[in-house]
Amino acid sequence: VTMDRLPRHVAIIMDGNGRWAGQRHLPRVEGHRAGIDAVRDVVETSARLGLEVLTLYAFSVENWKRPAAEVSTLMMLLKRYLRSELSTLLKNNIRFKVIGRTDQLWPDVLSELTDAERKTAGNTGMLFNIALNYGGRAEIVEAAKRLLAAQIRPEELDEQRFAGFLYTAGQPDPDLLIRTSGEMRISNFLLWQIAY
C-alpha cells in the first residue's frame, strides 16, 4: 500500500448480503450477519490505514419496503453491532456519525446511535459515517430546506455554501466508491458528493 496515495474518503454501498446467503442456501439473515463481520473488518482496517472518512451505506429509505421480519433483523443487528463494537471504536480513536433521516428510525435504535455518537464525539481519528434511512435525493431536498430556513440570499449561494447544508458538511467528498456486490449502480447514495 502506498500510504501517500490513499484516498481521504472511501464510501461503500453494502450490498449483496441476501444474494450471498441465497447462493449458499442460507436464510437472508445469515447474509446480513456475515455483513456485520465484514463491517467490523472494514472499519478497523480503514482506521489502521489512516483514512480520514469511511462512509457505509447500511439502510436506504427504500429498505423499509423489505419484509418486516428482515427490517427488524437489520435493526437488531445494528444495535448488536453498536453495543459490541463501541469499545473498539473508542480504542481506535474512531468518531461515529449517522447520516440520514434519523427521526424516522425506531426509538431504541436511535438511542443506541445517539449514545455511540456522543461517546465517540471527542475522538480525533477516522470519521465513520453510517448512512441509515438515507437517500441522496432526500438529502439534497433537506439541505435545500435548511438553506431556505437560514434565509440565504441567491447571490450568496454557491456549490461550496450548499454543500455546507448536506449531512457530510465539512467532510471531503469520496475519492473511492465501492459497491460490495459488484453491481454498477449508485442506488441514490451520496449523489452530490460523488459527482466527480
Side-chain angles (χ1 to χ4, degrees):
V1 175
T2 308
M3 299 307 281
D4 61 342
R5 297 193 64 204
L6 282 176
R8 294 176 66 198
H9 184 169
V10 174
I12 300 175
I13 300 171
M14 298 189 313
D15 182 40
N17 294 334
R19 288 185 294 279
W20 177 89
Q23 290 168 353
R24 287 156 181 78
H25 307 290
L26 298 169
R28 285 180 64 85
V29 66
E30 293 306 318
H32 296 308
R33 283 195 178 103
I36 291 292
D37 293 337
V39 166
R40 181 180 301 112
D41 293 341
V42 167
V43 171
E44 289 183 35
T45 301
S46 297
R48 274 198 300 274
L49 287 172
L51 294 185
E52 284 181 46
V53 183
L54 172 68
T55 301
L56 300 183
Y57 196 9
F59 192 85
S60 73
V61 293
E62 292 85 8
N63 286 154
W64 293 110
K65 297 174 188 168
R66 291 183 177 196
E70 185 175 355
V71 170
S72 180
T73 298
L74 287 168
M75 293 299 152
M76 180 267 304
L77 289 170
L78 173 61
K79 288 191 304 185
R80 185 180 298 162
Y81 172 82
L82 289 170
R83 288 179 187 153
S84 67
E85 297 302 313
L86 182 58
S87 62
T88 302
L89 296 177
L90 292 167
K91 181 178 72 176
N92 289 294
N93 197 29
I94 298 169
R95 190 165 33 110
F96 178 75
K97 181 177 184 337
V98 181
I99 62 172
R101 292 180 167 172
T102 57
D103 59 325
Q104 297 174 350
L105 295 171
W106 295 352
D108 57 332
V109 172
L110 185 55
S111 174
E112 295 281 345
L113 295 167
T114 303
D115 187 55
E117 284 183 321
R118 183 180 52 77
K119 288 180 177 172
T120 63
N123 290 350
T124 57
M126 183 184 78
L127 173 60
F128 169 28
N129 293 317
I130 187 163
L132 293 168
N133 196 29
Y134 176 88
R137 288 180 175 181
E139 177 184 21
I140 292 168
V141 168
E142 287 189 25
K145 288 178 181 177
R146 286 192 291 276
L147 184 109
L148 290 170
Q151 299 181 345
I152 304 296
R153 295 193 314 263
E155 62 272 11
E156 299 172 330
L157 185 60
D158 59 16
E159 289 181 12
Q160 184 176 355
R161 188 102 189 247
F162 186 84
F165 288 89
L166 297 170
Y167 298 138
T168 57
Q171 301 175 26
D173 288 339
D175 305 294
L176 176 63
L177 172 66
I178 299 167
R179 186 180 186 111
T180 58
S181 68
E183 292 186 12
M184 305 296 281
R185 297 181 287 123
I186 57 173
S187 295
N188 195 20
F189 183 48
L190 301 177
L191 298 178
W192 178 279
Q193 298 89 333
I194 64 168
Y196 294 102

